Amino acid sequence: MSGREVDSLAVRLAHALDMPGQTRRPPESNIDWTEWLALVDEHQVGPLLGSRRTWERSGPLPTWIREVLIAESLRNAHEMVFQTSELLRVFRAQPGLGGVVLKGGALALTRYEHCGERVISDFDVLFRGIGPLEEMKAVLEAEGYGDKPGPSPGEAHHHRPPLHHPGRAVTFELHENLCTPPLAKPIIQEMIDASVSVSDRGWPAGLRVFDPAAQIIHQAIHALDDPVDSPLLRNLLEVGWQLHLLDRFEREHVEDLAIRWGLAARVAEAAHLAHELFGTPTILEQPEFGARRGWASVRLGWTGSRRAEKPWSRRFSRHLAGAHLGRINQGEDPRDLLVLASVLGESLRDSARSFVAGRRKDRALRRAPELDTKEVGSCLLVFDRASGAVHLLDPLSTEALLLADQAKTSQGLTRELVSLGAGEELAETCLRMLIERGLLTGLAVGGFMPVWY
């Protein structure tokens, strides 16, 4: 699998959810704890670790990391209470539309101890037909939801463009299918027919989720459809965790459905990767090694966004992986090395064009324009009017934001933070987080950015 930090994190996650992998001892020597915490952020498992501290049985973590995990858990719990309340309000108001809540929203309502243990960027809802989907879209638009800023999915995509409410900071994705290219309609109808109400948990009667078998299959194909930009470790954790909670006969039912629906290879890949990480049960025969499994194994140790990640080779690898998997999703053979060679050639050609056009040497950063701030001791409370998000910045991040009141380069800001006593790696991580959350914005200097950056 991947490096020592990934192994250490995987064992603690197995402890958190009482899975078989907890019998392994996590590696403790030569752990880069800053990188370990970056993995936690990359794969969005901080709230879970901060909430379920049974991982402490596997050995202590540095005090500062423990405090960060607890704080992340509390912050996410507050945020998810509001977001989940909005989901429930929408379904109480429209009980007859028959939508099925998917992925993270469904798991937060049915598997996790409370919704705050799971980071949710949006609520995915699947509808039986175009009519109910359009009706829900009209309801949301009447309440102030509109197209979310950023790139929209193509016409053939399996869900409509995300609908976002800037004041409530909630996003809905309305689905016609589960993936692109789409699953056959009879499969979708069978999944919806087998969906279950969660009214016994006190949720609205119209709120439904997939039954455990369909939920596992969907989570498995979702985990490896886009392993590059999604929190892969968490997605595999959820596949393994759900399999662990089933008995042998229930797992055989998952196998039967995956085979009948033609999804056996994709489900098996996710289940076997989860087994290697967390010791959870495997199902189906392990498929031949292919591009999805290869890229997923490598990707587990990556941290940072496309725009902030170092070194250059990592950014290029992300670009190459995304382009290669995109070709596979369009039907190319995942074991055909000629496909990889073709993608590599295209990527090198594009990078050469970018280099000729002008090499990006540094980045001019400035504070985002729509921020309201208030000092809280040595920290800073920030309200982003553009996104509706609220942030509480630690002292170092506060200094970085204040220093960027006048446009500076990323290298210059890093040097100033280092001069204040921060290590260079911590300073770069601080700037990366501020950029990813939209509090600092930047433009290329000396040319435009390579396509994979």
Side-chain angles (χ1 to χ4, degrees), residues 41-42 303-312 314-315 318 360 363 365 410 414 425 427-437 440 449 452-453:
D41 181 70
E42 173 82 12
T303 57
S305 70
R306 288 179 183 273
R307 295 186 180 278
E309 189 168 35
K310 293 185 178 182
W312 171 90
R314 180 70 56 78
R315 299 194 302 275
R318 274 189 185 259
R360 180 187 186 277
R363 190 178 198 187
L365 294 176
S410 57
T414 300
E425 187 171 9
E428 291 176 348
T429 300
C430 171
L431 294 183
R432 185 178 72 231
M433 293 301 102
L434 291 173
I435 292 169
E436 289 178 351
R437 284 158 177 76
L440 292 180
M449 294 176 286
W452 62 83
Y453 199 82

Side-chain angles (χ1 to χ4, degrees), residues 23 99 101 169 175 238 258 281 300:
T23 58
V101 180
H175 286 245
E238 292 173 342
L300 284 169

Side-chain angles (χ1 to χ4, degrees), residues 362-368 400-416 439-445:
D362 199 0
R363 190 178 198 187
L365 294 176
R366 63 181 178 85
R367 180 174 168 174
L401 194 67
L402 295 176
L403 287 169
D405 277 343
Q406 297 178 344
K408 297 176 182 289
T409 67
S410 57
Q411 291 180 0
L413 265 176
T414 300
R415 285 194 297 269
E416 292 196 48
L439 303 183
L440 292 180
T441 61
L443 298 171
V445 175

Side-chain angles (χ1 to χ4, degrees), residues 67-311:
E67 291 174 350
V68 168
L69 295 177
I70 294 172
E72 177 68 11
S73 174
L74 293 173
R75 183 202 61 77
N76 191 65
H78 283 95
E79 181 176 328
M80 290 315 305
V81 164
F82 179 83
Q83 293 208 37
T84 306
S85 297
E86 177 69 356
L87 172 71
L88 302 182
R89 186 191 66 79
V90 168
F91 270 84
R92 285 194 179 99
Q94 302 294 327
L97 293 182
V100 180
V101 180
L102 307 173
K103 299 188 297 191
L107 292 170
L109 295 174
T110 60
R111 291 297 192 188
Y112 287 93
E113 287 184 356
H114 58 81
C115 61
E117 290 187 336
R118 195 4 168 114
V119 175
I120 300 176
S121 58
D122 51 46
F123 289 110
D124 300 82
V125 187
L126 174 69
F127 291 89
R128 190 180 291 274
I130 298 298
L133 185 153
E134 291 293 346
E135 189 175 345
M136 176 63 86
K137 181 174 183 288
V139 167
L140 292 172
E141 287 177 338
E143 294 196 8
Y145 283 83
D147 289 346
K148 187 175 183 179
S152 295
E155 291 183 5
H157 202 67
H158 58 280
H159 65 73
R160 299 295 179 86
L163 292 171
H164 179 73
H165 196 295
R168 297 171 186 167
V170 177
T171 301
F172 282 88
E173 285 187 356
L174 307 183
H175 286 245
E176 301 175 58
N177 208 287
L178 298 181
C179 56
T180 302
L183 299 181
K185 287 186 177 180
I187 296 175
I188 298 297
Q189 296 301 326
E190 187 174 346
M191 285 181 160
I192 293 176
D193 289 341
S195 66
V196 295
S197 171
V198 290
S199 58
D200 59 330
R201 293 172 171 263
W203 308 125
L207 193 96
R208 303 183 70 82
V209 299
F210 282 154
D211 72 335
Q215 194 160 204
I216 288 171
I217 290 173
H218 180 213
Q219 192 73 11
I221 61 177
H222 166 66
L224 295 183
D225 257 356
D226 180 22
V228 177
D229 292 323
S230 63
L232 178 62
L233 186 67
R234 185 205 61 198
N235 292 343
L236 292 174
L237 172 74
E238 292 173 342
V239 171
W241 181 30
Q242 292 178 85
L243 284 170
H244 173 63
L245 294 175
L246 301 183
D247 62 31
R248 178 169 61 87
F249 300 104
E250 291 170 323
R251 289 197 291 271
E252 289 176 356
H253 177 53
V254 176
E255 291 182 335
D256 292 341
L257 286 178
I259 292 170
R260 181 156 59 83
W261 291 342
L263 300 171
R266 296 170 71 179
V267 173
E269 280 184 321
H272 281 267
L273 280 167
H275 169 75
E276 292 179 25
L277 287 161
F278 311 109
T280 49
T282 58
I283 56 172
L284 304 160
E285 293 185 8
Q286 183 168 347
E288 295 182 26
F289 188 86
R292 287 188 192 278
R293 184 179 177 83
W295 282 123
S297 298
V298 173
R299 180 267 182 273
L300 284 169
W302 293 349
T303 57
S305 70
R306 288 179 183 273
R307 295 186 180 278
E309 189 168 35
K310 293 185 178 182

